[in-house]
Amino acid sequence: MADLERRSALLALKLTALVRDHAGEGAVVPGLWPGGAALVRGGEAWVLADERPERALGPALAWADQQGVEALHLLADSDHVGVLARRARFFAPPAPEVLRVEGRALVLAEPATFPPLGGVLDARFAPFYGLMEGAGVTPVLEHGVLTGESGGLEVCRAVIDPDLDVARLEVGIGAHDREAFALMHGDVPTNESLATVARQIAAHRRPGAEPHPLNRIAPERLLRHVLVLDPTPIGLVSLVPAPPPVPRPRLQDVAPCAAIGVDAEGGDVVVVCSIGVDLDVVPWAADARAALGLPDAPLLVVVPERDALPVTLRLAARLARPATVVGLRL
């Protein structure tokens, strides 16, 4: 605890010095910011993101909202400032200002461009599409990574053997599970073993299933899977999964996921699913809408009813092209 308090104090001093050097002398009101530092000066919020800066924009906006100020300056010295600057542009004036920390100087961050969402698929992976579909698994291509999902949970991944330089479809949930599965079932044909695993997992990842470790992993993708099967609860006639604007973090990490739907009039709708209290879901969702090439499409942020927090609704309304937060009773 002492180390954390010391770290917080140092970050607070750093932020105060950076703001003074950048904006001049002035009275500041220090604030509490987990994983960084924050203060209010002259009716404007200044936040230094230290831990998980890539997900700091939403929490920083929420903190500024809590202080009763609209203008926000978000500081970071990581490689993620370009993504933060890109997401800041989606908000109506006064849009957040993202600054890169370079020593004692603050430099306006340039928005990052979007990478190809599907990425480049190794040609050797092409046969795996049919194999997955034949086993009842949904192929998912995100940022060059080909996986297969059952009930929204990754159950296989296409990899290149580093020793033999050949393509292989590994079965399992996560790297350790895939390795263990190969050791135990290496002699079982991939299509047969994959179909067996997919059926076992699908039994636990369906509406009304009893709580189980298999439906606690990637819960946001389970929500998307349920809505793909029946999108009528959110007013759509069809829905298909879509890749995220940035590569997905570890399988164990909870992160929003995207989909593209069609409404009753035949128009495109971007849907982002999230579970739990995620203060960054609105900037993430706006980023996803732009990355999918649908910047003017309606945007639905779909969460369980308990997670449709007032602050999330306020952030959704602050977008230049506002989003609608849909709270579902699950």
Side-chain angles (χ1 to χ4, degrees):
M1 181 63 69
D3 289 341
L4 290 176
E5 292 177 351
R6 187 178 301 109
R7 176 70 176 168
S8 296
L10 290 173
L11 289 171
L13 290 173
K14 178 180 179 180
L15 175 60
T16 301
L18 288 168
V19 172
R20 182 184 62 242
D21 291 350
H22 183 77
E25 296 290 344
V28 301
V29 179
L32 295 176
W33 174 260
L39 59 81
V40 173
R41 177 188 181 278
E44 298 180 343
W46 295 76
V47 173
L48 173 62
D50 184 58
E51 295 181 7
R52 298 195 69 194
E54 69 278 8
R55 301 299 309 278
L57 180 55
L61 283 165
W63 186 84
D65 178 74
Q66 187 181 48
Q67 309 311 307
V69 299
E70 289 189 335
L72 168 67
H73 308 273
L74 179 59
L75 287 56
D77 58 4
S78 74
D79 295 333
H80 301 286
V81 291
V83 173
L84 294 172
R86 183 177 73 207
R87 294 177 177 179
R89 295 184 306 170
F90 301 129
F91 287 87
E97 180 184 60
V98 178
L99 299 164
R100 180 191 297 275
V101 179
E102 297 184 359
R104 294 288 298 269
L106 297 179
V107 179
L108 189 65
E110 291 292 328
T113 57
F114 288 109
L117 298 192
V120 178
L121 178 68
D122 192 303
R124 292 171 288 182
F125 292 162
F128 296 151
Y129 276 88
L131 192 154
M132 292 184 201
E133 291 169 346
V137 172
T138 302
V140 176
L141 178 62
E142 297 178 354
H143 298 272
V145 178
L146 177 62
T147 63
E149 292 185 352
S150 176
L153 179 63
E154 180 184 319
V155 296
C156 63
R157 179 174 292 228
V159 300
I160 299 296
D161 189 301
D163 299 318
L164 302 177
D165 193 35
V166 296
R168 186 172 68 244
L169 188 65
E170 296 183 341
V171 179
I173 305 169
H176 296 300
D177 190 41
R178 296 197 304 270
E179 182 179 351
F181 192 94
L183 290 173
M184 296 177 62
H185 305 279
D187 57 338
V188 181
T190 302
N191 56 349
E192 179 183 333
S193 56
L194 179 57
T196 300
V197 171
R199 286 194 299 269
Q200 293 172 344
I201 290 176
H204 296 286
R205 294 179 70 84
R206 57 179 176 78
E210 291 295 323
H212 188 276
L214 286 174
N215 50 39
R216 295 191 184 101
I217 306 172
E220 69 290 336
R221 294 198 171 214
L222 174 55
L223 174 59
R224 180 176 69 177
H225 169 72
V226 170
L227 291 175
V228 166
L229 295 178
D230 178 17
T232 56
I234 56 174
L236 301 180
V237 297
S238 66
L239 189 70
V240 295
V246 293
R248 183 185 181 186
R250 300 178 308 159
L251 182 65
Q252 299 90 337
D253 293 338
V254 176
C257 58
I260 298 176
V262 176
D263 61 22
E265 288 73 39
D268 290 327
V269 178
V270 176
V271 175
V272 168
C273 297
S274 179
I275 297 284
V277 178
D278 183 356
L279 294 176
D280 198 48
V281 66
V282 170
W284 195 102
D287 204 32
R289 175 169 57 181
L292 293 170
L294 298 168
D296 296 321
L299 175 60
L300 302 183
V301 177
V302 183
V303 298
E305 190 175 47
R306 66 180 182 274
D307 297 331
L309 303 178
V311 64
T312 304
L313 273 64
R314 289 195 295 272
L315 291 182
R318 282 197 58 181
L319 293 171
R321 182 80 170 85
T324 299
V325 179
V326 180
L328 292 182
R329 183 171 298 177
L330 301 179

